[in-house]
Amino acid sequence: MRSTPEVAMLSTWAVETFGPRAEQIRQGVTEALAIALENAQDAQKTARTELLHPFGFTLMSRKFEALADAFADMPGVVTVKPPGSQHELVVLGGNLLFPFRYAKDRSVSVVNARIGDGRPSGLVQALFTRFGPRPWAEQLTLGGVEAALPEPVTPAARALTRLPEGTRLVLIAYACNARAGLLDVWWGEAELLDRTGNLRWHYCEPIPLPGQAPAAELPGAASVGEASAFARGAMPAPALNPRPLRERATAVPPMSEAPYAPDAAADEGR
């Protein structure tokens, strides 16, 4: 007798967000990403080049197209293609799905996920401003409180005004590469912290992939609408190391962290 594969239990967040179709939507997300990755890998093999541009450019487009195809026949689905954008965004029952690649392997935690490799586009900023969760607190910096990111006034941002009030931004963060394919998938809600694409997750959970052991739960993940223990506690004071006397006497510039050098967007496939 053939046994049926065990289906991972749905979380309270998934059921509250997507209702009775939650399992169907979760499965559709994994299937769409798997198709997009397979198409990107095929493009890379066909190109016969060591450069990853074919993989990256194909994945960049197919991840949106495959999501739209997966849910095309589902009742209540709306697709939006903002002016200037090459991709259609899928809205399911008031939830706007936005897939992005956060890592090429498992060395990067989803906790440290960033949207893209540089400054988020005007469309991405508008998505978070309009549909992202309400920030838990203002972003603190050594110089004081950083002002909230203003919503860019672009044709793409204005097109989002046609979506109904109450639309929620659901992020789909995945790790993959051209050789191994799809490694991990997470979904949840997060706020955009700054102009470099850093996120603060309000809720995040793994999506199980066929034939893989389930990923570990996100440490410290809070239910939607609740601040994490870190957010509720006092902010830790940074450890400040004084400069050696010799450096101060010779006016040697202080050493800082090496600047972030992002890979090409095409190679990333974000």
Side-chain angles (χ1 to χ4, degrees):
M1 182 176 179
R2 180 178 300 177
S3 60
T4 57
E6 183 178 352
V7 178
M9 293 291 293
L10 289 167
S11 67
T12 302
W13 173 85
V15 175
E16 291 179 348
T17 302
F18 296 105
R21 302 185 296 182
E23 175 55 37
Q24 183 182 359
I25 293 172
R26 185 174 68 173
Q27 182 177 349
V29 167
T30 59
E31 292 176 355
L33 288 179
I35 291 173
L37 261 294
E38 183 179 351
N39 295 156
Q41 288 175 313
D42 289 344
Q44 185 65 38
K45 292 176 182 177
T46 302
R48 297 187 179 184
T49 174
E50 294 183 359
L51 298 177
L52 295 177
H53 292 79
F55 176 83
F57 281 121
T58 303
L59 179 59
M60 194 183 306
S61 298
R62 286 296 294 149
K63 63 185 179 183
F64 292 102
E65 296 169 350
L67 275 178
D69 293 341
F71 302 113
D73 297 330
M74 182 174 286
V77 174
V78 177
T79 56
V80 180
K81 187 174 182 181
S85 174
Q86 300 178 357
H87 315 299
E88 287 186 332
L89 304 178
V90 177
V91 183
L92 285 167
N95 300 291
L96 193 154
L97 306 182
F98 191 83
F100 72 99
R101 177 166 124 166
Y102 74 90
K104 293 181 284 186
D105 53 43
R106 290 193 171 105
S107 65
V108 178
S109 170
V110 73
V111 177
N112 302 318
R114 296 172 64 246
I115 295 285
D117 292 319
R119 182 186 179 96
S121 67
L123 173 61
V124 170
Q125 293 183 48
L127 289 175
F128 278 93
T129 301
R130 287 186 173 274
F131 310 126
R134 184 176 180 181
W136 281 330
E138 294 291 337
Q139 170 76 357
L140 297 180
T141 64
L142 291 177
V145 178
E146 181 179 315
L149 295 178
E151 180 178 342
V153 181
T154 63
R158 286 194 294 269
L160 299 177
T161 61
R162 296 196 294 268
L163 292 176
E165 290 291 333
T167 299
R168 295 166 63 179
L169 177 64
V170 174
L171 301 178
I172 301 171
Y174 61 93
C176 73
N177 60 61
R179 286 192 175 184
L182 195 59
L183 298 173
D184 291 310
V185 183
W186 303 73
W187 64 354
E189 298 177 83
E191 60 182 279
L192 183 64
L193 286 181
D194 51 39
R195 292 177 173 84
T196 61
N198 289 303
L199 303 175
R200 176 185 287 138
W201 290 101
H202 287 215
Y203 184 87
C204 185
E205 67 178 24
I207 295 180
L209 297 177
Q212 291 188 10
E217 295 291 336
L218 182 65
S223 300
V224 176
E226 297 179 3
S228 66
F230 176 84
R232 291 193 299 267
M235 176 168 285
L240 301 178
N241 297 321
R243 295 178 60 199
L245 182 61
R246 180 184 300 177
E247 288 187 9
R248 284 180 285 174
T250 57
V252 176
M255 295 297 294
S256 61
E257 294 184 357
Y260 176 73
D263 296 333
D267 290 350
E268 287 296 309
R270 296 178 188 271

